[in-house]
Amino acid sequence: MNDYTSFEVGQKFPLPIRTQADGGMFQLDANGAMFILQLSHTDVIAREAFRTGKMEFALYEQDGVLFLLYQIDGIFKKGWGDAPLSFGALKPELLPKAESLKDGILHLYLVDTSLQILLAQRDVKLNDKFLAVLQKHITRHEQHPLSQETFIKKVQRIWADKTSDAMRQDACAVQEVPLDIPHAPNKKDLH
């Protein structure tokens, strides 16, 4: 991620968000990969679930469109959400290159939809297969970019044909994120 961008929990989210609605957004640009989950109603449990809870991500590709599928325990009771990846709104200098994923991290952000406040953040180290699919998609886009209009039509066709749960069944890569609760020191460790 940009060294000059400050992501501080409790502060205004520092990046512009075009669509202000509940749901997930997946972005891959020159600075790396990020998933932004916007919710208008959260509580302490949801924020903690995002920060430390069990999650699962998957990638589904159809007709040149890549979807990030997500399931987050403690926030969603069942089923999968999906976020299609578009490069159409990126400035040319922000388009991803092969080195954009060199850190191998998916940066996760939970944002309050109404106030645009960052509620929680987390970094996930991606597995090799997941990274390979993302790299392949970057290369494909460099060679055969989709116009925004074509991208939107393809996404609408895919959504009309498949649910997020059906996409997950046909996913080409999966990233499991285990529960990550910091270890509390033992009483005898304190002496």
Side-chain angles (χ1 to χ4, degrees), residues 90-140:
L90 293 177
K91 295 176 183 175
E93 64 271 15
L94 287 177
L95 287 172
K97 304 283 185 223
E99 63 272 6
S100 299
L101 293 170
K102 68 179 178 259
D103 67 356
I105 301 289
L106 175 61
H107 303 277
L108 310 176
Y109 302 102
L110 177 62
V111 177
D112 179 284
T113 305
S114 309
L115 303 173
Q116 293 300 299
I117 300 293
L118 179 59
L119 301 173
Q121 62 185 21
R122 187 174 186 180
D123 288 341
V124 173
K125 182 75 174 154
L126 296 172
N127 64 49
D128 291 342
K129 186 171 185 178
F130 208 93
L131 281 169
V133 172
L134 293 176
Q135 292 282 11
K136 182 178 158 192
H137 195 72
I138 290 171
T139 302
R140 181 180 300 120

Side-chain angles (χ1 to χ4, degrees), residues 136-154:
K136 182 178 158 192
H137 195 72
I138 290 171
T139 302
R140 181 180 300 120
H141 177 75
E142 289 173 336
Q143 296 168 352
H144 307 287
L146 287 178
S147 72
Q148 192 65 7
E149 183 180 328
T150 301
F151 169 80
I152 290 168
K153 286 179 183 175
K154 286 184 176 199

